[in-house]
Amino acid sequence: MHKLVLVRHGESEWNKSNLFTGWTDVDLSSKGVKEAQEAGQMLKEHKFDFDIAYTSYLRRAIKTLYFIQDEMNLLWIPTYKTWQLNERHYGALQGLSKLTTAQKYGEEQVMLWRRSYDVLPPALTKEDERYPRNDPKYRDVPDELIPLTESLKETIIRVEDYWLHEMKPQIQAGKKIIIVAHGNSLRALVKYLDNLSAEEIMQVNIPTGTPLVYTLDEQLRPVEKYYLGSDTRVEQKMEKVADPDRVME
């Protein structure tokens, strides 16, 4: 059997302000730092150990992983960062208030952009200062892979590719890994691991700063899945994620 731990980053400054974030590289809020530290403490208390860590190119995930590793005295293990674990790219919605956007376009349209499987948000243009090519983090990413917008479907494609070629072989080799990423990049993994339909994954809400533990068999099929922490607190965090006015992408 293999253990796999997924953690969504702690609350970010833009989560707190209820803005569409996507690939915008915002920092953790003070609450997010605390959530990350508490996640590390829970993992330590439950005697988890890791050989390798994976995260995205975005600081809210990188810092969450750092605080977890610091609490667990695991800052020394190999850590791999990849754009393929980035949050879903929200295109021209990035930086906009979710509440104001809902008032302008209607809640139904905004919910389609946010929670549907294959509906694309309005795209950026390459002339927009938010275009990822303007950020040196993405200088080695081929132009054709740099998104102007993404649905969950496109996010799943890039996350699955990294899982199959990079992370899955490490688990099969017996390595214990932790993945710290984002709401939608982790939903992509959950969809793949749990073999969920496009309709089923739309109902999945992953709370911030709460370790999600999978026990996988030798074929890496889930045999058990649970969150660390009290059921009440996990449910409260899920409800906050699911709330259209307070969801944290």
Side-chain angles (χ1 to χ4, degrees):
M1 294 291 181
H2 305 275
K3 291 286 188 184
L4 169 67
V5 174
L6 312 180
V7 185
R8 183 179 180 177
H9 65 78
E11 181 191 71
S12 76
E13 291 291 349
W14 279 20
N15 292 153
K16 184 172 66 175
S17 300
N18 207 21
L19 306 179
F20 285 101
T21 308
W23 283 30
T24 310
D25 200 10
V26 301
D27 212 338
L28 291 175
S29 67
S30 58
K31 177 183 176 182
V33 171
K34 184 179 179 182
E35 286 181 320
Q37 292 169 333
E38 289 175 346
Q41 291 162 7
M42 281 193 291
L43 289 164
K44 184 177 181 179
E45 288 168 5
H46 286 79
K47 302 188 184 307
F48 281 85
D49 189 25
F50 303 107
D51 302 304
I52 302 174
Y54 292 92
T55 190
S56 73
Y57 274 1
L58 300 171
R59 73 182 70 189
R60 58 194 187 271
I62 294 169
K63 286 191 174 182
T64 298
L65 175 58
Y66 171 85
F67 288 119
I68 289 172
Q69 290 175 298
D70 191 37
E71 293 290 335
M72 299 182 72
N73 193 26
L74 288 177
L75 288 171
W76 58 273
I77 66 172
T79 299
Y80 299 98
K81 303 179 184 72
T82 174
W83 68 273
Q84 286 173 272
L85 290 176
N86 275 15
E87 177 58 285
R88 172 187 169 193
H89 195 296
Y90 275 94
L93 297 181
Q94 293 181 166
L96 302 182
S97 162
K98 292 173 185 173
L99 182 59
T100 301
T101 305
Q103 291 170 343
K104 181 176 180 179
Y105 295 101
E107 290 186 11
E108 183 176 350
Q109 178 62 65
V110 172
M111 285 299 291
L112 275 175
W113 285 332
R114 283 188 42 248
R115 302 301 289 180
S116 68
Y117 179 69
D118 56 5
V119 175
L120 291 164
L124 291 178
T125 67
K126 291 185 178 181
E127 292 70 40
D128 195 300
E129 62 181 8
R130 296 170 291 175
Y131 178 46
R133 178 57 71 210
N134 297 322
D135 189 326
K137 288 194 291 293
Y138 306 107
R139 60 192 172 200
D140 295 326
V141 181
D143 283 345
E144 64 271 18
L145 298 180
I146 295 284
L148 296 171
T149 185
E150 287 181 313
S151 67
L152 180 60
K153 180 179 179 180
E154 282 78 34
T155 308
I156 287 170
I157 290 170
R158 59 172 163 86
V159 173
E160 280 190 9
D161 179 72
Y162 195 77
W163 166 262
L164 292 171
H165 292 95
E166 299 294 336
M167 296 186 286
K168 183 178 179 180
Q170 294 285 7
I171 298 176
Q172 290 173 323
K175 301 295 185 181
K176 300 182 290 292
I177 74 171
I178 179 171
I179 304 168
V180 178
H182 306 265
N184 283 298
S185 51
L186 292 181
R187 287 172 72 217
L189 275 176
V190 167
K191 182 181 185 301
Y192 177 84
L193 291 169
D194 293 343
N195 194 29
L196 300 180
S197 68
E199 292 73 26
E200 289 171 327
I201 194 58
M202 289 169 60
Q203 307 306 314
V204 172
N205 297 299
I206 299 177
T208 55
T210 308
L212 172 57
V213 181
Y214 275 91
T215 302
L216 306 173
D217 66 17
E218 293 307 310
Q219 286 71 48
L220 302 193
R221 294 174 301 204
V223 296
E224 186 183 28
K225 169 186 173 183
Y226 59 92
Y227 283 101
L228 294 184
S230 72
D231 292 343
T232 300
R233 188 172 184 188
V234 171
E235 288 174 8
Q236 288 173 343
K237 284 191 170 188
M238 285 182 173
E239 288 171 3
K240 188 173 183 180
V241 170
D243 187 330
D245 293 328
R246 289 297 306 156
V247 75
M248 298 184 292
E249 308 288 25

